């Protein structure tokens, strides 16, 4: 098995690395303080710079605004982003909305939406989850009813990441309440500034405003905003989950976190000896490092399946499950080993600029977003191993 990259791939890696070091050098975030508006402005500008190089939608065909990169180049790009702690804004438009529109949308929809996503013009959110429908998403109750040439939407979504920042929403709504639950759902494009939409913030326990509640009250959208076949939306959503999970399960950020933890432990002196000299610390870090290598191989496997033209299914769940639980193990270890330095978010003792503390709180959601760990295990057991449901 050859895990080496070709000279062309290594050259591409260097190009990405140089770009990040120029446009988002180490510590880029420190200069912005904790002001969400300034961070968002920086990340938006970052997206535009990537788009100008056609790197935002790296693996898409050139005619759709992509770079025409291979999946291996995409993987290299993701690795460098994580390794160099570049802005980590998840562009859902690129990651799973546009790929779904490319598969199921009409020619006009592809022309209208996909290129603008690749060019960094439009930000999208995903309107799936509801208060009574998360893991069992097919139970969703938000209705879309046809009235003349318009769909009228009523209902509520929850946990909608970036709804407050988005131009468009990718909506799953019930269009046939009499059909079995998986067969009465359709997918739509919803302009987020349409009258009748109310977005209310939800603040997570890391004190960040990422997700929201979204309420629909007689929201009217044009008939042509239906994407794909009527009442076949569940199948579009299910395919999109594969794109979502492979894009979430990137271990490069955790790799860098373990490297930084090792370095901090090497430098931090306790009773005249480096923290890293303690056997339990060394063993913990070595254990995490081994798991990082495992996650990396899982990520390479997904990329090689995609390169071979296959759609990862249980493999997407494997990397999502393993990499997200690993994030939690890494931040747990950092907070435990570093004590106060790992626990505070700011001030002179905050290790890694307070990032381990943030990671500890934020990573709790890693095993929920994009499908919980239990659901990932169910998929691996049934679709991967063929065990009974
Ligand atoms: C940070 C974050 C961002 C998110 N962003 C979005 C977004 O942008 N758009 C969107 O639509 N949604 C989003 N979500 C919602 C996310 O998809 C759901 O939270 C997730 O699917 C779980 O659904 P739930 O919260 O309703 O939990 P539930 O489905 O109620 O699950 C509760 C518990 O029961 C377990 N469970 C449920 N069913 C089974 C089963 N069959 N077998 C074993 N265990 C089971 C679960 O694993 C979990 O532990 C986000 C969530 C988070 C945390």
């Amino acid at each position: 098995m050859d895990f080496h990259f070709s000279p062309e791939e290594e050259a591409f890696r260097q190009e990405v690395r140089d770009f990040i070091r120029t446009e988002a050098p180490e510590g880029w975030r420190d200069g912005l303080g904790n002001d969400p508006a300034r961070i968002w402005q920086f990340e938006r500008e970052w997206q535009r710079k990537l788009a100008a190089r056609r790197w935002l939608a790296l693996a898409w065909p050139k005619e759709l605004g992509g770079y025409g990169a291979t999946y291996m180049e995409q993987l290299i790009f993701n690795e460098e982003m994580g390794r160099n702690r570049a802005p980590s804004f998840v562009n859902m438009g690129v990651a799973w909305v546009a790929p779904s529109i490319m598969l199921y949308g009409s020619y006009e929809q592809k022309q209208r939406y996909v290129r603008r996503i690749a060019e960094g013009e439009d930000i999208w959110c995903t309107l799936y989850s509801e208060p009574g429908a998360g893991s069992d998403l097919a139970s969703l109750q938000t209705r879309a009813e046809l009235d003349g040439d318009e769909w009228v939407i009523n209902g509520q979504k929850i946990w909608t990441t970036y709804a407050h920042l988005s131009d468009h929403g990718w909506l799953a709504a019930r269009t046939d309440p009499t059909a079995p639950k998986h067969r009465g759902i359709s997918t739509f494009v919803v302009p987020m500034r349409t009258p009748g939409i109310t977005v209310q913030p939800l603040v997570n326990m890391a004190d960040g405003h990422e997700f929201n509640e979204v309420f629909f009250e007689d929201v009217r959208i044009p008939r042509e905003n239906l994407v794909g076949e009527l009442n076949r939306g569940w199948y579009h959503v299910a395919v999109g989950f594969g794109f979502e999970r492979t894009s979430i399960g990137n271990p490069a950020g955790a790799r860098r976190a373990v490297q930084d933890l090792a370095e901090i432990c090497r430098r931090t002196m306790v009773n005249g000896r480096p923290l890293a000299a303690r056997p339990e610390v060394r063993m913990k870090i070595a254990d995490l490092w081994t798991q990082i290598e495992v996650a990396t191989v899982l990520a390479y496997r997904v990329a090689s399946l995609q390169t071979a033209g296959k759609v990862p299914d249980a493999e997407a769940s494997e990397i999502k499950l393993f990499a997200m639980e690993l994030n939690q193990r890494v931040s747990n270890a950092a907070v435990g080993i570093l004590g106060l330095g790992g626990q505070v978010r700011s001030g002179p003792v905050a290790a890694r600029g307070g990032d381990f503390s943030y990671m500890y709180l934020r990573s709790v959601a890693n095993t929920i977003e994009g499908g919980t760990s239990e659901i990932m295990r169910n998929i691996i057991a049934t679709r991967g191993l063929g065990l009974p449901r």
Side-chain angles (χ1 to χ4, degrees), residues 126 128-129 134-135 159 161 211 362 365 368-369 372 374-375 378:
T126 309
Y128 291 166
S129 305
S135 302
W159 315 124
T161 304
F211 45 39
R362 177 59 181 83
I368 304 172
E369 59 197 314
T372 67
E374 289 75 22
I375 297 303
N378 275 339

Side-chain angles (χ1 to χ4, degrees), residues 157-209:
K157 297 290 174 178
I158 197 167
W159 315 124
T160 317
T161 304
Y162 304 141
H164 57 304
L165 303 168
S166 293
D167 303 289
H168 296 288
W170 173 241
L171 170 76
R174 188 155 302 284
T175 35
D176 183 353
T178 62
K181 63 181 180 179
H182 293 94
R183 300 212 184 120
I185 294 171
S186 303
T187 40
F188 298 90
V189 170
V190 181
M192 288 303 285
R193 288 176 199 98
T194 311
I197 298 181
T198 309
V199 176
Q200 285 191 357
L202 292 168
V203 176
N204 66 24
M205 72 176 179
D207 202 26
H209 173 203

